[in-house]
Amino acid sequence: MGNAQEKPPGSSGGEKARRGQSGGKERAPGQRGANGAPRENSPAGEEEEQQQPDSSGVDRSYLDAPAGALPPHLGRLKNEGNYLFKNGQFGDALEKYSQAIDGCCEAGIDSPEDLSILYSNRAACNLKDGNSSACIEDCNKALELQPFSLKPLLRRAMANESLERYGKAYVDYKTVLQIDTGVQAAHDSVHRITKVLIEQDGPEWREKLPEIPVVPLSVQQQHREKPVSIELTQVRAARAAQEEGWLHHFIPAWILQLILCKYDQQVLTSINLALKK
């Protein structure tokens, strides 16, 4: 699932994965961010296969969904974690991801992308449970394995914002927007945090920020070429419908169709913003 950089090791064998034990729980994003941090969606971001119930009537087919290069027993742990997360069972999902991480480390599995996804997913559980410090640690490990991975970057930004580490949060949100300019939560957060930093540090607030890393063009291109998830497609469709309703007051329908056919959603959004100014 996810792609940026940061510190801690912990990507290789031997580390017994934390099970949400890093210190006390901090405030969850949105409870204490700068006027409320954005909410987080399912870490899975994967299309589930149509599920069929087993002989007991309990649907378990999701366990055998594709899980990257993970061996079957670890893939099932990851899929069960995804299922539990989607059903709001964040503590149980965290346990499954932790077991899968331990299994990868003990078996010496060399799959940085899959291990990064597991750390990122566990970070999402910690974020949902309000354990922001543990979330940041897992995001750091995910990003060490897969630099400039978008989801761990976004989750780390949200966790830092919930801890009122606004400079670090700002840097991660800006890095996310280098990778994907369409992440509305990052745009909203940058505007919100900018106001806080101006109040906090005055006119020279930019000089006090940590350095914002430059995302390589190859990473940006790679992200653009990734297949779009169904979840994201639905969000974009809803946004397009909303904006199209507004634009119909100014532009005839046939011209709108022409714009949508020839260009992309970003062009439509730009026109919409221009008309609202």
Side-chain angles (χ1 to χ4, degrees):
M1 278 169 277
N3 309 1
Q5 87 257 65
E6 270 279 88
K7 313 155 193 176
S11 57
S12 57
E15 184 216 306
K16 276 294 176 184
R18 291 172 295 93
R19 309 187 190 282
Q21 296 173 347
S22 304
K25 290 186 178 182
E26 290 83 7
R27 293 165 289 181
Q31 292 178 332
R32 174 171 144 168
N35 287 334
R39 294 176 178 259
E40 178 65 3
N41 294 323
S42 163
E46 298 164 358
E47 180 181 358
E48 291 186 30
E49 298 175 350
Q50 189 164 5
Q51 302 173 356
Q52 298 296 329
D54 59 21
S55 56
S56 66
V58 178
D59 189 352
R60 307 286 287 175
S61 62
Y62 61 85
L63 292 176
D64 297 316
L70 294 175
H73 69 290
L74 297 179
R76 287 170 71 85
L77 285 170
K78 175 191 172 186
N79 289 334
E80 191 165 5
N82 291 350
Y83 179 81
L84 290 165
F85 187 96
K86 288 177 180 178
N87 285 278
Q89 297 171 262
F90 307 124
D92 292 336
L94 184 145
E95 282 292 323
K96 296 301 177 184
Y97 294 136
S98 294
Q99 290 171 26
I101 291 169
D102 285 346
C104 286
C105 294
E106 288 167 0
I109 292 171
D110 184 20
S111 181
E113 183 176 0
D114 289 306
L115 193 52
S116 175
I117 288 169
L118 288 170
Y119 276 120
S120 177
N121 286 6
R122 192 172 71 179
C125 295
N126 281 315
L127 190 63
K128 283 288 190 181
D129 275 343
N131 197 345
S132 298
S133 295
C135 173
I136 291 167
E137 289 178 33
D138 277 342
C139 288
N140 287 343
K141 289 170 184 172
L143 292 167
E144 185 177 283
L145 289 159
Q146 289 282 284
F148 298 107
S149 180
L150 190 142
K151 286 188 177 181
L153 265 177
L154 189 57
R155 287 165 185 157
R156 189 173 68 184
M158 293 164 70
N160 273 315
E161 185 176 358
S162 76
L163 294 172
E164 299 183 359
R165 299 171 181 169
Y166 298 122
K168 289 183 177 181
Y170 181 92
V171 167
D172 277 346
Y173 284 130
K174 292 291 280 186
T175 306
V176 164
L177 290 172
Q178 288 184 65
I179 300 167
D180 187 344
T181 57
V183 181
Q184 190 59 44
H187 282 293
D188 295 342
S189 298
V190 165
H191 292 314
R192 182 173 59 249
I193 291 176
T194 298
K195 294 176 183 176
V196 174
L197 289 172
I198 291 172
E199 291 176 8
Q200 181 178 287
D201 299 326
E204 290 78 36
W205 66 275
R206 290 183 186 277
E207 298 170 14
K208 299 179 181 180
L209 286 174
E211 185 177 355
I212 300 174
V214 177
V215 178
L217 289 174
S218 59
V219 172
Q220 299 177 38
Q221 182 65 29
Q222 192 177 33
H223 180 79
R224 283 195 291 269
E225 290 172 356
K226 277 189 176 181
V228 179
S229 69
I230 288 180
E231 192 178 78
L232 183 57
T233 302
Q234 290 172 340
V235 170
R236 287 179 176 173
R239 189 186 304 160
Q242 186 180 35
E243 289 174 346
E244 190 173 339
W246 169 268
L247 288 170
H248 270 307
H249 291 290
F250 301 94
I251 303 174
W254 69 271
I255 295 180
L256 279 176
Q257 275 306 109
L258 200 61
I259 293 171
L260 283 170
C261 290
K262 188 164 184 178
Y263 302 102
D264 60 13
Q265 178 58 36
Q266 283 188 334
V267 174
L268 186 63
T269 302
S270 299
I271 295 171
N272 183 40
L273 289 173
L275 287 172
K276 285 183 178 180
K277 285 181 180 177

